[in-house]
Amino acid sequence: MDNLNGLLAFVRAAQNESFAGAAERMGISASAVGKSVARLEEKLSVRLFNRSTRRISLTDEGQLFFERCQNIVAQLEEAEQELVRISAVPRGKLRITAPAIGYRILLPHLPEFRQRYPQVELDLDFSDRMVDVIDEGFDIAIRSGELSSSQMMSRRLGPFRFAIVGSPLYFAQHAAPQIPQHLQHHDCLRYRFPGTGQWQEWATNSPIPPELPLALSSNNLESILQAALQGLGLAYVPEFIVRNYVASGELISVLEPHLKEGGKFSVVWPSSRHMLPKVRVFIDFLTEKQVLC
């Protein structure tokens, strides 16, 4: 690096015929330019400039060296400008991890993102396992709940509500619950967290039976949803994944006034990494599209 600094100082001094002119162009002091050139001369064991109190001029050796070096400096500047131009354009593989059900959040918006940023390659991991974003090399994670790691930065995407739903087939055989306590008379489809095996709480404004009647349990929300559609029981799931089924009549939502406020999703990324353009534009895109709305 010292050699490159000395080379640049030499070329700028030769172009300006002045250490002061080179210093102004480089944004450093004239003495720093002079010292860099002196170190270069010492390394090469040759004098590059004739010095006087008013000006400097190239020696014969300096002129020969300058003719070669100015092309090198020009190429370095061109390479630097090209690198800046490339790094400013979102490009490359973007590794994203999200909950297994997260494809329902992301996929409807990805065609527009790809249209805007065709040089970004999306590498998606949809899983309910506990992912170590940093150790596993992910650029971005979609997470629900509160952020606990100081190694991560976050931006909130938006809140979501839960719904308790069942199919018309199920309700043809069971009366719809009117209050949370009525859940003790229903077949329940329970989600358990893969990492801990704990049940997802059915959060209501009034107490529910501590042990809900269990018809089926799973560590995958998609399977819980499909079981509800097949009439196997009632499911407690994020509202956004059943919105279309409720609108079409394939599922019926119950106990809506009795459900507590749901959760929230955030997009998170490692705080220790420089935010590359591909990361920045994806985060901005998710925020712009309000993906949970």
Side-chain angles (χ1 to χ4, degrees):
M1 185 60 70
D2 286 341
N3 289 343
L4 288 176
N5 289 336
L7 196 66
L8 180 59
F10 163 69
V11 170
R12 294 292 183 248
Q15 290 172 336
N16 290 273
E17 296 184 345
S18 165
F19 288 158
E24 183 177 353
R25 189 169 175 182
M26 295 175 66
I28 59 177
S29 66
S31 63
V33 173
K35 289 177 182 178
S36 292
V37 171
R39 284 193 295 268
L40 183 61
E41 289 178 322
E42 183 178 358
K43 180 178 179 61
L44 296 175
S45 299
V46 66
R47 190 171 54 149
L48 299 173
F49 287 108
N50 295 311
R51 295 164 172 84
S52 70
T53 56
R54 294 187 176 182
R55 63 187 297 270
I56 59 174
S57 62
L58 289 167
T59 63
D60 290 342
E61 294 83 358
Q63 181 64 43
L64 178 63
F65 194 54
F66 173 66
E67 291 173 0
R68 297 291 185 90
C69 288
Q70 66 176 341
N71 291 331
I72 294 173
V73 169
Q75 290 177 13
L76 285 173
E77 289 178 333
E78 183 179 344
E80 182 179 2
Q81 292 169 3
E82 179 69 11
L83 186 60
V84 169
R85 184 187 67 79
I86 290 175
S87 63
V89 176
R91 66 174 69 227
K93 181 182 290 187
L94 182 64
R95 299 196 67 213
I96 303 165
T97 180
I101 206 69
Y103 78 93
R104 291 180 177 270
I105 305 172
L106 293 181
L107 290 185
H109 302 283
L110 295 187
E112 181 179 348
F113 179 82
R114 284 281 301 152
Q115 189 173 34
R116 290 192 196 181
Y117 307 106
Q119 297 184 67
V120 177
E121 173 191 341
L122 298 171
D123 184 347
L124 305 177
D125 173 82
F126 294 112
S127 172
D128 286 331
R129 68 185 179 88
M130 292 299 293
V131 174
D132 190 314
V133 177
I134 296 175
D135 286 350
E136 297 185 39
F138 286 99
D139 298 299
I140 288 173
I142 308 297
R143 291 269 175 89
S144 61
E146 298 295 328
L147 179 66
S148 58
S149 173
S150 61
Q151 294 181 291
M152 306 297 291
M153 301 289 289
S154 71
R155 184 182 297 179
R156 185 170 177 176
L157 292 179
F160 64 93
R161 297 184 59 83
F162 279 91
I164 296 177
V165 296
S167 72
L169 175 63
Y170 177 82
F171 287 119
Q173 302 173 31
H174 303 80
Q178 302 301 310
I179 57 175
Q181 287 84 349
H182 289 170
L183 291 172
Q184 63 185 321
H185 304 300
H186 285 270
D187 298 330
C188 296
L189 312 173
R190 301 292 302 275
Y191 174 75
R192 64 178 186 275
F193 296 103
T196 63
Q198 294 181 338
W199 300 115
Q200 167 75 57
E201 177 190 2
W202 290 32
T204 62
N205 292 323
S206 57
I208 61 174
E211 296 293 335
L212 292 174
L214 184 64
L216 177 149
S217 68
S218 175
N219 64 356
N220 180 275
L221 273 177
E222 192 70 45
S223 65
I224 297 289
L225 171 62
Q226 293 303 317
L229 287 166
Q230 295 300 317
L232 294 180
L234 300 183
Y236 179 85
V237 290
E239 186 272 338
F240 66 84
I241 76 172
V242 296
R243 187 179 300 159
N244 291 339
Y245 296 107
V246 171
S248 68
E250 294 174 84
L251 290 173
I252 298 169
S253 179
V254 297
L255 297 178
E256 292 181 8
H258 300 278
L259 298 182
K260 290 183 179 179
E261 183 179 350
K264 67 177 182 179
F265 276 109
S266 298
V267 55
V268 303
W269 65 95
S271 59
S272 59
R273 295 181 189 169
H274 171 68
M275 185 182 281
L276 296 172
K278 63 183 180 181
V279 174
R280 174 179 49 79
V281 297
F282 192 79
I283 293 172
D284 290 344
F285 178 80
L286 292 183
T287 305
E288 171 198 336
K289 302 310 292 184
Q290 301 182 15
V291 295
L292 291 175
C293 299

